[in-house]
């Protein structure tokens, strides 16, 4: 009898090269995405050892982390930060030298790697994918085993097309029911992280299952898988269904004609067997989830918009209480303070979590003819790619943002991590659609509140957090 | 890679859980295209009171004298003792490069985040998992005159009074003991990889664009 397998087991088995002499497994990698920040040292290592790229066609590059989001028409000369410019030029040089396909800063296809890969059809079901970025988990939405790696591993995959890895455990997150109107994949994943904790899925690959997951669009599934790392899981997965296949069909890098049919027949098998056993399971009811807002400095420090900042003194676990105490001091929040009373200084709509067309549509819809509140210094909208930007302009979304006093920018990681000029000021509170509320993440002394695109846009208009279910 | 066999060093406690890699090395220093030059910026926002930029040296900075690693008794520490889920967040290997350059060759915690844990083994920095209550005891003892001795071969940590055993994957242990080059080791298996690749190309031809 063949053992019932999880989706993760199946992808793993299909890429299991065998064991190295030291007993470690080698996992074959189908696609490596490259960007300017974590690749230069890897390319340098390769050259110092005089090693070639194992498979040039398995690599795809685009600059995203430190590119400015304004002055894009200036191309490279729009990068005023010389150190950042050096990094972008180094990526250009390395791609030319090694023959790697790159969507450079002036290419309309340039954008955040985790938006670009799926958009181009470079991300395909059943693949193994790596990138020197922890949010590579995004691509798991396509039933691809996608993992963030360090620079040494980037170099290792460049040189050998393999990752040295031992298999992780299987974690099922079962989401039953239906999300309420205006409650999104972002709220769902924040609620899951709130339940699991930031290390709850360490050592595991998560598979998101259940009706609420089947009901999500590919954009929603990408948002969900994107933040798997925030629960400690290196990868998150969603099984293949019609939604997956419909999304991939016709994309530039996707297979065509009879190879397409052959691929689809295989992709249909990329679901966990009914009898498959998971090492851990979390059940969650989608219907009970309110729009989420993070109040602390770790993504697990989150609650519903109808909730209040918790009291560390009421926490049982002393380490948790101490962490919460630190967080409240950093965030300048009081125990018991209502979430809707938190004022917002800046708003950021963007990042690999929430910068796809569906996200921008939701944000634009939440503006509802309003304008950015005067008390909000800046509301920044940064599309995930040049193509998302073009699409949003075509649909009239850009006009809605601009008329409402929001800033409409060019594609990049932007204020998600503040490596480019888009940064939070010291002490400022930000309603952000990004993925991490760590201290200083978006700028020195900045205070991040993680929310969905609609919640961020609504906060920009109100000047404080509001429940999007009530304004609609 | 530098080998790791034994280490006897003064131990500094960082009494926090979930220390993320953004804290270990903040974003503004990731613009370098080198593997060196990060030690001065380790825990930058905690060690210094001013906002740092790349190229600044510690003597032009405003020191946060209250931060544990700035206390006189912890100068020269080589082992970091900390809480659960150390190294969570971003995959930046710069975090390990910064720790090592600052002088830490080992980190002891009840648990580590996966990517950080793996990155340590690529750089000769040993992450050691000890039970939370043992870490608690060690943190209580680490008053500045507290030296730990780590022996990887016997998988022990000793504080002069007690010996604590730790678990480690045998392959990772050998790699650390011998300072082996991972890529060179994998390239010993070229035939295995090529055979797999040919088979893979036949079964999933759409994965090969070239």
């Amino acid at each position: 009898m063949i053992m019932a397998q999880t989706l993760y087991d199946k992808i793993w088995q299909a890429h299991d090269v065998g064991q190295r002499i030291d007993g470690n497994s080698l996992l074959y990698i189908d696609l490596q995405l490259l960007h300017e920040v974590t690749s230069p040292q890897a390319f340098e290592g390769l050259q110092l050892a005089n090693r070639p790229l194992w498979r040039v066609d398995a690599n795809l590059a685009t600059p995203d982390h430190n590119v400015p989001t304004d002055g894009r028409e200036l191309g490279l000369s729009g990068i005023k930060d010389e150190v950042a410019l050096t990094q972008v030029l180094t990526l250009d040089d390395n791609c030319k030298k090694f023959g790697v396909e790159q969507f450079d800063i002036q290419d309309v296809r340039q954008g955040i790697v985790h938006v670009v890969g799926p958009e181009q059809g470079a991300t395909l079901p059943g693949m193994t994918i790596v990138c020197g970025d922890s949010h590579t988990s995004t691509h798991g939405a396509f039933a691809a085993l996608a993992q963030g790696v360090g620079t040494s591993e980037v170099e290792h995959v460049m040189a050998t097309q393999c990752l040295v890895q031992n298999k992780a455990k299987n974690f099922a997150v079962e989401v039953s029911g239906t999300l309420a109107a205006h409650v999104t994949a972002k709220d769902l994943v924040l609620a899951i992280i709130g339940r699991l904790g930031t290390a709850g899925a360490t050592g595991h690959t998560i598979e998101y299952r259940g009706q609420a997951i089947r009901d999500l669009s590919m954009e929603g599934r990408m948002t969900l898988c994107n933040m798997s790392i925030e629960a400690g899981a290196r990868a998150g997965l969603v099984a293949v269904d019609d939604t997956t296949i419909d999304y991939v069909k016709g994309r530039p890098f996707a297979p065509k004609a009879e190879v397409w049919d052959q691929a689809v027949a295989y992709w249909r098998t990329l679901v966990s067997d009914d009898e498959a056993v998971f090492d851990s399971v979390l059940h969650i009811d989608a219907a009970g989830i309110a729009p989420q807002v993070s109040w602390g400095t770790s993504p697990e420090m989150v609650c519903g918009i109808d909730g209040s900042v918790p009291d560390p003194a009421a926490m049982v676990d002393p380490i948790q209480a101490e962490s919460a105490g630190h967080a409240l001091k950093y965030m300048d929040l009081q125990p018991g303070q209502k979430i809707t009373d938190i004022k917002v200084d800046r708003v950021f709509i963007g990042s690999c979590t929430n910068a796809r067309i569906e996200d921008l549509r939701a944000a634009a819809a939440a503006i509802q003819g309003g304008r950015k509140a005067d008390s909000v210094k800046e509301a920044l909208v940064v599309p995930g790619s040049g193509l998302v930007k073009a699409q949003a302009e075509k649909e009239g979304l850009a006009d809605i943002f601009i008329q409402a006093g929001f800033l409409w920018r060019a594609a990049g990681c932007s204020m998600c991590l503040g490596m480019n000029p888009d940064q939070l000021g010291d002490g400022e509170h930000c309603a952000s659609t990004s993925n991490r509320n760590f201290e200083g993440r978006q700028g020195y002394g900045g205070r991040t509140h993680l929310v969905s695109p609609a919640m961020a846009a609504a906060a920009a208009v109100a000047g404080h957090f509001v429940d999007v279910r009530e304004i609609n | 890679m530098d080998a790791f066999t034994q280490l006897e060093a003064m131990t500094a406690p960082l009494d926090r859980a979930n220390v993320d890699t953004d804290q270990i090395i903040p974003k503004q220093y990731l613009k370098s295209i080198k593997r060196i030059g990060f030690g001065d910026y380790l825990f930058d926002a905690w060690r210094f009171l001013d906002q740092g930029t790349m190229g600044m040296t510690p003597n032009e900075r405003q020191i946060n004298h209250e931060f544990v690693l700035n206390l006189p008794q912890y100068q020269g520490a080589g082992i970091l003792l900390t809480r659960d889920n150390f190294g969570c967040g971003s995959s930046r290997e710069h975090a390990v490069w910064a720790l090592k350059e600052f002088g830490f060759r080992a980190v002891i915690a009840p648990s580590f985040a996966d990517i950080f844990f793996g990155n340590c083994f690529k750089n000769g920095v040993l992450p050691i998992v000890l039970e939370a209550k043992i870490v608690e005891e060690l943190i209580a003892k680490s008053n500045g005159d507290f030296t730990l001795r780590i022996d990887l071969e016997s998988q022990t940590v000793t504080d002069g009074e007690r010996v604590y055993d730790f678990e480690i994957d045998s392959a990772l242990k050998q790699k650390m003991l011998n300072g082996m080059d991972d890529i060179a080791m994998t390239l010993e298996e070229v035939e295995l990889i090529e055979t797999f690749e040919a088979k893979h190309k036949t079964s999933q031809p759409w994965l090969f664009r070239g």
Side-chain angles (χ1 to χ4, degrees):
Chain A
M1 198 184 89
I2 301 166
M3 281 277 285
Q5 289 182 305
T6 64
L7 170 56
Y8 171 59
D9 296 338
K10 289 181 184 182
I11 304 173
W12 178 277
Q13 191 181 47
H15 293 85
D16 185 0
V17 172
Q19 280 190 345
R20 214 166 60 164
I21 194 159
D22 61 356
N24 273 317
S25 296
L26 292 173
L27 186 72
Y28 188 84
I29 300 303
D30 296 316
L31 175 66
Q32 169 146 248
L33 297 165
L34 299 164
H35 63 82
E36 77 279 24
V37 174
T38 55
S39 70
Q41 297 89 348
F43 276 118
E44 186 191 51
L46 213 57
Q47 291 179 89
L48 287 174
N50 203 20
R51 288 170 177 144
L53 257 187
W54 181 281
R55 234 187 88 196
V56 175
D57 74 311
N59 295 273
L60 181 63
T62 193
D64 58 4
H65 278 61
N66 69 28
V67 296
T69 55
D70 55 356
R72 189 57 61 85
E73 65 286 354
L74 300 171
L76 288 168
S77 49
I79 308 180
K80 304 290 179 226
D81 177 346
E82 280 183 30
V83 195
L85 178 63
T86 300
Q87 241 178 7
V88 173
L89 287 173
T90 304
L91 182 65
D92 280 350
D93 286 349
N94 283 324
C95 287
K96 279 186 198 119
K97 206 176 292 170
F98 286 89
V100 171
E101 180 161 9
Q102 189 201 183
F103 302 146
D104 67 22
I105 191 166
Q106 282 177 299
D107 193 311
V108 71
R109 298 168 295 178
Q110 175 272 342
I112 306 172
V113 276
H114 310 310
V115 174
V116 168
E119 184 173 74
Q120 290 298 316
T123 300
L124 295 173
M127 271 185 161
T128 45
I129 301 175
V130 297
C131 175
D133 186 279
S134 61
H135 292 110
T136 308
S137 56
T138 310
H139 309 263
F142 293 82
L145 178 59
Q147 308 178 75
V149 296
T151 295
S152 293
E153 286 179 316
V154 170
E155 185 184 339
H156 191 278
V157 174
M158 284 176 171
T160 70
Q161 211 53 46
C162 292
L163 202 57
V164 183
Q165 197 168 69
N166 292 317
K167 206 174 160 202
K169 291 179 182 169
N170 283 289
F171 201 126
V173 172
E174 300 273 359
V175 191
S176 57
T178 308
L179 289 170
H182 312 293
V183 178
T184 66
K186 180 63 165 290
D187 303 303
L188 172 59
V189 73
L190 286 172
I192 291 170
I193 296 162
R195 291 274 294 277
L196 278 178
T198 180
T202 300
H204 293 75
T205 295
I206 297 176
E207 183 183 339
Y208 299 96
R209 300 154 57 84
Q211 191 53 46
I213 308 301
R214 299 267 68 89
D215 292 344
L216 289 176
S217 65
M218 287 312 292
E219 283 88 347
R221 294 177 189 181
M222 284 188 252
T223 299
L224 182 69
C225 289
N226 172 274
M227 291 191 69
S228 302
I229 184 71
E230 264 49 76
R234 211 161 166 176
L237 291 168
V238 174
V240 168
D241 59 11
D242 289 344
T243 307
T244 323
I245 294 183
D246 292 346
Y247 182 97
V248 175
K249 192 168 189 178
R251 298 206 173 250
F253 286 57
K256 310 274 184 305
E258 64 271 23
V259 186
W260 167 261
D261 297 332
Q262 193 190 343
V264 170
Y266 172 65
W267 294 342
R268 294 277 183 199
T269 69
L270 297 173
V271 296
S272 288
D273 296 331
D274 290 342
E275 307 299 317
V277 177
F278 290 83
D279 300 285
S280 304
V281 183
L282 171 76
H283 288 277
I284 192 158
D285 176 17
I289 297 170
Q292 302 285 300
V293 181
S294 73
W295 50 264
T297 54
S298 164
E300 69 181 20
M301 297 174 175
V302 69
C303 69
I305 180 68
D306 42 7
S308 307
V309 175
D311 184 358
M315 293 179 179
V316 182
D317 177 358
I319 294 173
Q320 204 178 13
E322 201 188 335
S323 298
H326 268 296
L328 292 194
K329 191 171 166 221
Y330 180 85
M331 296 295 289
D332 191 28
L333 296 173
Q334 303 307 316
Q337 190 175 346
K338 284 165 86 177
I339 296 295
T340 47
D341 286 344
I342 300 172
K343 290 191 172 57
V344 167
D345 301 301
R346 266 177 223 271
V347 172
F348 172 63
I349 298 168
S351 89
C352 58
T353 312
N354 279 131
R356 297 178 184 83
I357 192 69
E358 183 181 286
D359 301 316
L360 301 187
R361 287 178 190 142
I367 293 175
Q368 300 217 322
R371 270 193 67 79
K372 175 185 77 65
D374 290 340
S375 59
V376 174
K377 293 175 195 163
E378 181 182 84
L380 200 59
V381 188
V382 183
S385 71
L387 290 171
V388 169
K389 179 171 187 274
Q391 176 69 23
E393 286 168 356
K394 200 173 114 192
E395 292 183 17
L397 305 177
D399 291 335
I400 295 176
F401 289 122
I402 293 164
Q403 279 159 19
F406 290 48
L407 298 175
W408 178 246
R409 294 291 182 83
C413 299
S414 181
M415 206 196 277
C416 173
L417 83 166
M419 271 193 78
N420 78 344
D422 308 332
Q423 296 187 15
L424 274 191
D426 198 355
E428 290 176 349
H429 286 266
C430 179
S432 178
T433 67
S434 57
N435 40 56
R436 289 191 174 130
N437 49 352
F438 297 154
E439 289 179 26
R441 167 82 178 179
Q442 296 191 281
Y444 185 82
R447 296 167 176 150
T448 302
H449 299 275
L450 304 174
V451 289
S452 73
M455 285 287 287
V461 172
H464 57 89
F465 290 108
V466 286
D467 191 337
V468 281
R469 295 172 301 184
E470 286 167 13
I471 61 159
N472 276 283
Chain B
M1 189 189 82
D2 296 335
F4 188 109
T5 50
Q6 290 173 331
L7 173 67
E8 185 163 354
M10 202 256 282
T11 304
L14 182 63
D15 191 2
R16 275 200 181 205
N18 302 317
V19 173
D20 60 76
T21 53
D22 272 82
Q23 303 319 314
I24 301 174
I25 183 84
K27 62 204 173 284
Q28 65 266 37
Y29 306 111
L30 307 188
K31 291 175 191 166
S32 166
I33 58 168
K34 301 288 171 203
R35 281 174 188 262
I36 52 167
F38 301 103
D40 282 350
Y41 312 116
L42 179 75
F43 299 120
D44 198 74
W46 292 343
R47 277 171 61 211
F48 303 105
L49 296 168
D50 56 338
Q51 186 177 357
T53 54
M54 216 164 85
M56 289 173 94
T57 56
N59 55 20
E60 18 175 349
R61 305 290 300 278
Q62 215 181 320
I63 310 280
N64 175 6
H65 292 287
E66 288 174 17
F67 182 60
V68 62
L69 297 184
N70 287 334
L71 299 178
Q73 64 267 38
Y74 296 116
Q75 299 314 300
I79 299 170
L80 189 68
L81 257 177
T82 186
R83 301 276 188 189
D84 269 308
N85 199 29
F86 186 78
C88 61
S90 159
S91 59
R92 57 188 71 167
E93 196 163 321
H94 312 64
V96 181
W97 300 337
L99 282 163
K100 187 177 179 182
E101 205 174 303
F102 188 84
F104 290 115
R105 285 297 306 277
V107 184
I108 300 174
S111 63
F112 293 89
D114 280 344
I115 303 178
F116 175 85
F117 188 76
N119 285 342
C120 285
F121 286 98
K122 310 287 183 191
N123 293 282
V125 172
L126 184 64
I128 296 176
V129 176
L130 290 179
E131 269 180 67
K133 71 173 195 319
I134 295 173
V135 170
E136 186 76 51
E137 283 171 29
L138 295 177
I139 286 179
K141 287 183 185 177
S142 55
N143 56 5
D145 191 22
F146 184 60
T147 296
L148 286 174
R149 184 180 163 79
I150 298 167
D151 183 74
L152 179 53
E153 181 59 53
S154 65
Q155 298 180 210
T156 53
V157 176
T158 318
D159 66 3
E161 294 173 7
R162 290 186 58 183
V163 179
Y164 306 96
D165 296 322
F166 65 90
E167 297 294 319
I168 183 171
D169 174 87
S170 60
L172 288 175
K173 177 179 170 179
Q174 288 311 314
K175 197 162 76 84
M176 287 290 265
L177 283 172
N178 300 305
M180 290 188 279
D181 174 6
D182 237 326
I183 296 178
M185 277 172 75
T186 301
L187 287 175
E188 296 283 313
E189 313 292 348
V190 165
E191 271 183 47
L192 194 66
I193 303 169
E194 284 177 346
T195 305
F196 174 86
E197 194 168 54
K199 199 181 70 185
H200 196 49
K201 195 171 179 175
T202 309
S203 61
Q204 296 188 54
W206 55 87
L207 297 176
F208 294 76
R209 293 194 287 137

